Amino acid sequence: MGKFSYFILFFISLINVVSYSQKKILKAVASGDITIDAKFDEPIWEYAPVAKDFVMFSPDNGKPISEAKKTEVQIAYNDDGIYIAAKMYDDEPGKIRKEITQRDIFGTAEHFGVFINGFNDSQQDFRFFVSSAGVQMDCIFTNQNDQDFTWDAIWESKVALTDFGWVAEIKIPYAALRFSKNKFQTWGVNFYREIRRDRQDYTWNFIDTKIANESAQSGILEGIDNINTPTRLFFIPYSSFYLNANKFEKTKGELKGGLDIKYGITDAFTLDAILVPDFGQTKFDNVELNLSAFEQQFSENRPFFTEGTDLFSKGDLVYSRRIGQSPEVELKDNETIEEFPSSIKLLNAVKISGRTKDGLGIGVLNAVTEKTNVTIVNTDDNTSRKEILVPLTNYNVFVLDKRFRTNSSVSLINTNVQRADHFRDANVTGLLFDLNTKANTYNLQGEMKYSFINQLPSDTKGFNSSLSIGETSGNYRYRVSGRYISKDFDINDLGIIYQTHYHYLLGEASYRILNPTKTFNTFQLTHTLYSEFDNRTGRIQSANIYFGLDSNNKKMDYFGVGIDIRPRKVYDFYEPRTFEEIRYVTLPEFAETRLYYSPNYNRKFVVDLNSRLAFINEKNRMNYGFTVSPRYRISDKILLVYKFIWLRQQNNTGYIASFDEDSNPATENKIIFARRNRNTFTNTFEGKYALNNKMNFNLLVRHYWSYAKNHDILQLEENGDLTDNITYTKNKDTDFNTWNFDLSYNWWFAPGSQISVLYRNNALINTNTFTTDFNRNAKDLINSDQLDHVFSISFRYFIDYNSLKH
């Protein structure tokens, strides 16, 4: 190659780099009515400007799309919404993947997406995707929380396969977006295309993976002027019928009804309200045998508390499962509760959220649960009494989130729980900041949180503060952070926190490749050092060294390795379960290795494999187990997935009881631990049959069995050591079995409107006498004596106020 050729190559490369670093601009054009049919036969599509020249996001970041796979996008608008016409060219259209999935699930299919930021502030995108099979996905993206697919909007799309590839036509109503009142709109916009068979992702405006802020690298959409948006008022009435049956109660039916309301206060603020809510068809919880000192945390499955809640997640102060949660009740040995409710009835809930044109986000969430009484029975004399289980309770969250300089924010969040009848009240306030340099290369984060609990006999106050600084761009990245939490910091009335009275130091460094090599498409190494100390005594609670590797080879098979080492003894103040955590148990050194393998899901049949092995520095103590999960895509409509998890914890030690050995009130209770062998088996089966992209059947089955057999009884000494105890003889073995079976049918018969049918059965056995025979335990669990059956039908219908006017 001559010098002139080198010069030409350098010049072309320089032009590419400069063009990628600049924001592309697309002009939207005004239009009349457009039919969403993927035909593009309206005159507007003949002359609307075209967005083209896509650039690879992953794996070879920055590589221009080939001419054979070129992508062209146009945008039009009217007073109802914006319209997108997308053409995805493919020189081998017969190889386009098109698996049909449920909404919000990216299966083995091609995808097109549009990212819209109505304020063009580089902070938050509303993202809309449609697959080559016509399945919709939508989410809210922020740099802090990434993509949140719990948010669902109502919009229209239609796709079609062609002889040159495939096309998608989309209508996004203004009600699904947030933007200013300006006469002339300027939005951030980007377009996305996934070529699934090659596992390649492209965007219209180049997103440089060396920079952590994706939203700041969108292009510009101009031309939307003088729009007269319609009233954003929607009603979603619903009705549900439930049929419940089990061996101990007569089969009974129950009819429920309610209403969801969505109202656009302005083009930037929305009110959501639910009246007489019904969450009977939400996914079941994956309940486990919990032998730890802390409660099990569950995912939120109720749609109202998952959709569009990015503002309320600031500072991790809200655990929405607290709203309607039945509390734990301390009873005497001779007392029981008649008909203990699994949840507390939610009377209503309202949330208002949005953002001003100056970047100030405002969010308010309020929910009210009803007063609930229970009957407590004395089993000795059969007397009973009424007690208030939960008083009338109001839950409130208020958030202010100020964005500035396109990539930074300061937030104020307050949570408040008010209970009637002189019960405990709680208030928590947090101040947060997230600052980034102009080039998005360095980040500084911090938090200051304060809690106040109003409860007899005295109020308590606590605080939680943290600071973190790191480099967030390039091949090499690092972060250093620290946190201090006082003894009385408490957010558990509306949030969740396990540990207090400690401080920690964390250091992490990572290396990643930004473009593929001959062996890897992606490769990342991570190293973390973590130390945690009790505030009162200075004793070390945690000391961990972690090494991690994550990679994808050229065939897009994933390999991962994790090594976690605790090189010294530490002190656990929580497992002894003493008042104010004044006692501790000494934990030995350990080393654990985990291996992960997940093949490319483009293949019809694959098997995911995970394994773990941990050595604890005590005689014959170790943990080991594995996960195997075969999945078979029979066709684009049928997918079967099975997962088996087995874990053995050999010579595990943990708390089982505390008791007064000599019945002397003046002496301290003895704290009893046990050395035990614990085995856990989890079997999960999922099946999907999609009739089309609006109608599907889904099967989900889970059997969880975990048992712990105590073989040595131990006593906790004042110095944290465990010694043999021969006086405690109570049986504290545990056998825990759960079974869940869900078979559902869903039909989205119109935008926002759904009919769903669900058959569900479940059972639970928790005992201290058992056999370790798997078949016997499964048979005892899945029989008519144990199973609860629920059959339900739910109907939801979306009504646009504007259509009612006509």
Side-chain angles (χ1 to χ4, degrees):
M1 184 181 292
K3 292 183 178 180
F4 182 74
S5 299
Y6 277 114
F7 174 78
I8 293 296
L9 181 62
F10 172 77
F11 183 72
I12 293 174
S13 301
L14 181 61
I15 290 177
N16 283 335
V17 170
V18 172
S19 63
Y20 295 161
S21 64
Q22 296 175 344
K23 289 180 176 290
K24 296 179 180 178
I25 298 176
L26 179 66
K27 185 176 178 62
V29 292
S31 173
D33 292 337
I34 296 177
T35 302
I36 304 302
D37 55 12
K39 295 180 179 179
F40 307 147
D41 50 7
E42 290 85 3
I44 192 72
W45 301 127
E46 296 179 7
Y47 62 85
V50 178
K52 53 187 178 180
D53 300 327
F54 279 51
V55 184
M56 191 180 294
F57 173 74
S58 174
D60 197 355
N61 188 236
K63 181 179 179 180
I65 197 169
S66 67
E67 181 66 21
K69 301 291 192 303
K70 68 179 181 180
T71 306
E72 298 177 347
V73 185
Q74 299 166 284
I75 290 186
Y77 74 95
N78 56 29
D79 284 344
D80 293 329
I82 67 169
Y83 301 82
I84 299 100
K87 299 177 181 178
M88 282 64 68
Y89 290 83
D90 195 315
D91 56 343
E92 296 179 288
K95 294 184 178 180
I96 293 175
R97 303 298 177 97
K98 48 186 183 298
E99 181 190 2
I100 304 174
T101 65
Q102 289 180 272
R103 183 184 174 119
D104 286 338
I105 295 179
F106 288 79
T108 306
E110 314 282 292
H111 294 93
F112 169 77
V114 54
F115 307 164
I116 296 175
N117 183 326
F119 293 97
N120 192 30
D121 61 3
S122 303
Q123 298 266 1
Q124 182 186 67
D125 294 340
F126 291 83
R127 296 186 171 184
F128 305 85
F129 303 86
V130 63
S131 77
S132 51
V135 179
Q136 292 184 350
M137 293 130 276
D138 44 23
C139 70
I140 293 177
F141 171 87
T142 61
N143 294 300
Q144 294 81 10
N145 300 326
D146 201 66
Q147 297 186 132
D148 177 12
F149 283 95
T150 59
W151 176 77
D152 285 324
I154 296 171
W155 49 288
E156 297 180 52
S157 61
K158 182 72 174 180
V159 303
L161 299 176
T162 69
D163 56 357
F164 63 81
W166 68 287
V167 298
E169 191 168 24
I170 297 171
K171 176 186 177 181
I172 303 176
Y174 294 119
L177 304 170
R178 303 291 181 270
F179 49 91
S180 69
K181 295 182 178 180
N182 294 341
K183 182 178 180 181
F184 302 101
Q185 298 285 327
T186 300
W187 294 356
V189 70
N190 214 341
F191 306 108
Y192 166 88
R193 180 183 179 183
E194 179 191 17
I195 302 176
R196 177 68 190 196
R197 70 176 181 273
D198 298 327
R199 301 299 294 266
Q200 294 175 348
D201 301 322
Y202 294 86
T203 58
W204 170 58
N205 204 79
F206 175 51
I207 297 178
D208 189 345
T209 55
K210 292 193 294 292
I211 300 173
N213 192 330
E214 288 186 18
S215 187
Q217 301 181 73
S218 291
I220 300 296
L221 180 66
E222 298 178 341
I224 300 179
D225 304 333
N226 300 307
I227 53 176
N228 182 22
T229 59
T231 301
R232 292 195 296 127
L233 177 59
F234 311 110
F235 304 96
I236 308 176
Y238 62 84
S239 179
S240 302
F241 176 74
Y242 294 87
L243 195 64
N244 301 273
N246 59 47
K247 180 183 178 181
F248 305 101
E249 294 182 1
K250 183 179 179 180
T251 300
K252 60 181 181 180
E254 183 179 11
L255 183 65
K256 297 182 179 180
L259 177 69
D260 290 2
I261 301 173
K262 297 180 183 293
Y263 174 61
I265 302 172
T266 68
D267 289 328
F269 285 87
T270 299
L271 178 149
D272 293 274
I274 51 174
L275 306 176
V276 196
D278 174 28
F279 302 120
Q281 290 194 339
T282 55
K283 181 181 179 295
F284 60 78
D285 292 323
N286 292 332
V287 180
E288 299 178 352
L289 171 60
N290 184 10
L291 299 179
S292 75
F294 310 114
E295 66 177 298
Q296 182 182 353
Q297 184 173 358
F298 297 107
S299 300
E300 178 60 86
N301 298 318
R302 298 171 295 180
F304 179 85
F305 295 107
T306 61
E307 295 175 357
T309 55
D310 60 302
L311 272 177
F312 305 109
S313 65
K314 297 282 183 181
D316 296 322
L317 292 180
V318 177
Y319 175 47
S320 58
R321 290 293 296 262
R322 296 287 187 221
I323 302 173
Q325 181 184 49
S326 288
E328 293 185 1
V329 180
E330 293 186 6
L331 298 173
K332 298 177 181 178
D333 292 339
N334 63 343
E335 290 182 332
T336 61
I337 293 181
E338 290 185 348
E339 298 184 3
F340 186 83
S342 59
S343 62
I344 304 302
K345 184 178 180 180
L346 178 64
L347 298 177
N348 59 69
V350 177
K351 61 186 175 186
I352 299 173
S353 62
R355 192 170 294 276
T356 69
K357 65 179 181 179
D358 297 322
L360 177 63
I362 303 174
V364 179
L365 186 153
N366 199 87
V368 180
T369 58
E370 73 173 0
K371 180 179 179 179
T372 304
N373 296 313
V374 293
T375 301
I376 299 177
V377 178
N378 186 310
T379 56
D380 292 339
D381 55 18
N382 207 33
T383 59
S384 64
R385 71 181 192 276
K386 290 279 188 179
E387 292 284 351
I388 298 176
L389 178 65
V390 175
L392 181 70
T393 306
N394 188 86
Y395 300 87
N396 183 270
V397 185
F398 175 71
V399 185
L400 295 175
D401 178 52
K402 173 62 177 176
R403 297 173 179 169
F404 56 94
R405 212 173 57 193
T406 74
N407 61 1
S408 299
S409 65
V410 175
S411 307
L412 176 71
I413 180 168
N414 176 265
T415 67
N416 186 277
V417 180
Q418 294 287 326
R419 298 181 175 93
D421 301 315
H422 306 290
F423 277 71
R424 161 183 168 132
D425 298 327
N427 188 285
V428 181
T429 301
L431 179 64
L432 327 168
F433 62 86
D434 183 358
L435 309 177
N436 294 275
T437 57
K438 185 176 182 180
N440 290 292
T441 51
Y442 294 93
N443 171 262
L444 177 67
Q445 297 180 19
E447 300 178 344
M448 181 61 193
K449 304 171 186 175
Y450 172 80
S451 68
F452 175 78
I453 307 300
N454 181 8
Q455 182 181 31
L456 296 175
S458 62
D459 301 336
T460 58
K461 306 171 185 178
F463 68 91
N464 175 349
S465 60
S466 69
L467 188 65
S468 170
I469 186 170
E471 183 177 3
T472 55
S473 66
N475 298 85
Y476 296 92
R477 305 183 189 188
Y478 69 86
R479 180 166 296 277
V480 178
S481 62
R483 182 179 298 274
Y484 184 96
I485 302 179
S486 69
K487 178 176 72 70
D488 292 322
F489 181 71
D490 188 353
I491 65 171
N492 282 313
D493 292 80
L494 189 47
I496 186 168
I497 187 171
Y498 292 138
Q499 299 180 203
T500 58
H501 59 77
Y502 75 93
H503 60 278
Y504 74 68
L505 294 173
L506 171 69
E508 54 185 351
S510 65
Y511 167 80
R512 71 202 66 199
I513 62 172
L514 301 175
N515 295 93
T517 66
K518 292 182 179 180
T519 306
F520 297 103
N521 272 337
T522 65
F523 182 88
Q524 179 173 328
L525 293 172
T526 304
H527 176 43
T528 303
L529 298 174
Y530 180 80
S531 297
E532 183 179 295
F533 304 87
D534 177 60
N535 294 341
R536 306 159 303 178
T537 64
R539 289 186 176 274
I540 188 166
Q541 293 185 171
S542 183
N544 291 77
I545 303 172
Y546 175 79
F547 300 92
L549 181 152
D550 298 278
S551 66
N552 283 282
N553 63 16
K554 302 299 285 187
K555 295 181 179 180
M556 290 305 292
D557 298 321
Y558 170 79
F559 298 90
V561 178
I563 300 173
D564 193 6
I565 300 171
R566 185 166 67 210
R568 57 157 297 163
K569 293 180 178 180
V570 297
Y571 305 94
D572 185 345
F573 287 84
Y574 307 94
E575 184 63 16
R577 309 179 200 194
T578 54
F579 178 69
E580 294 191 338
E581 291 97 26
I582 58 175
R583 297 284 300 276
Y584 61 84
V585 60
T586 304
L587 303 182
E589 304 87 345
F590 82 88
E592 181 179 51
T593 300
R594 299 190 181 213
L595 302 176
Y596 309 91
Y597 168 70
S598 181
N600 188 340
Y601 286 177
N602 278 353
R603 305 175 190 127
K604 282 185 173 292
F605 179 76
V606 295
V607 180
D608 290 330
L609 297 171
N610 300 333
S611 67
R612 59 184 293 186
L613 175 63
F615 295 97
I616 298 94
N617 190 22
E618 287 181 356
K619 185 177 180 180
N620 296 325
R621 184 176 177 185
M622 60 193 304
N623 300 335
Y624 49 92
F626 65 86
T627 300
V628 56
S629 179
R631 55 190 297 137
Y632 182 37
R633 192 176 71 255
I634 298 175
S635 68
D636 287 333
K637 294 185 175 183
I638 303 175
L639 175 67
L640 305 176
V641 181
Y642 170 70
K643 179 184 286 188
F644 174 70
I645 305 173
W646 173 64
L647 175 63
R648 177 174 172 82
Q649 296 166 277
Q650 182 172 298
N651 284 330
N652 171 264
T653 59
Y655 170 93
I656 59 170
S658 61
F659 79 110
D660 186 356
E661 189 173 38
D662 53 10
S663 301
N664 184 353
T667 61
E668 184 177 350
N669 285 355
K670 295 189 180 300
I671 300 172
I672 304 301
F673 277 58
R675 186 172 289 117
R676 58 207 177 195
N677 292 330
R678 178 177 176 182
N679 285 275
T680 302
F681 306 85
T682 307
N683 288 274
T684 306
F685 179 79
E686 296 181 66
K688 174 213 73 179
Y689 174 54
L691 298 173
N692 52 51
N693 57 27
K694 300 290 191 299
M695 192 181 301
N696 54 68
F697 291 89
N698 293 280
L699 174 66
L700 178 58
V701 182
R702 177 179 183 262
H703 174 223
Y704 173 89
W705 178 34
S706 184
Y707 65 86
K709 185 76 173 176
N710 302 318
H711 53 79
D712 292 320
I713 304 301
L714 308 170
Q715 179 176 309
L716 179 65
E717 303 296 341
E718 291 291 337
N719 63 358
D721 292 342
L722 297 171
T723 59
D724 291 334
N725 180 288
I726 60 174
T727 60
Y728 188 84
T729 58
K730 191 173 182 179
N731 182 2
K732 285 290 185 175
D733 296 341
T734 307
D735 176 47
F736 189 85
N737 265 280
T738 64
W739 165 266
N740 296 92
F741 177 100
D742 278 11
L743 177 62
S744 63
Y745 163 79
N746 296 280
W747 176 26
W748 294 90
F749 61 90
S753 302
Q754 180 187 21
I755 293 175
S756 57
V757 181
L758 172 67
Y759 168 68
R760 166 176 291 170
N761 65 53
N762 59 79
L764 185 149
I765 296 177
N766 187 8
T767 181
N768 58 10
T769 57
F770 57 93
T771 174
T772 57
D773 181 86
F774 181 88
N775 293 328
R776 174 68 180 276
N777 272 276
K779 184 178 179 180
D780 290 343
L781 180 68
I782 310 170
N783 64 61
S784 58
D785 290 345
Q786 297 294 334
L787 288 173
D788 292 317
H789 303 268
V790 180
F791 177 79
S792 61
I793 301 175
S794 179
F795 174 84
R796 299 171 62 86
Y797 189 70
F798 174 79
I799 302 173
D800 186 341
Y801 165 77
N802 298 286
S803 65
L804 289 180
K805 290 194 302 182
H806 302 293

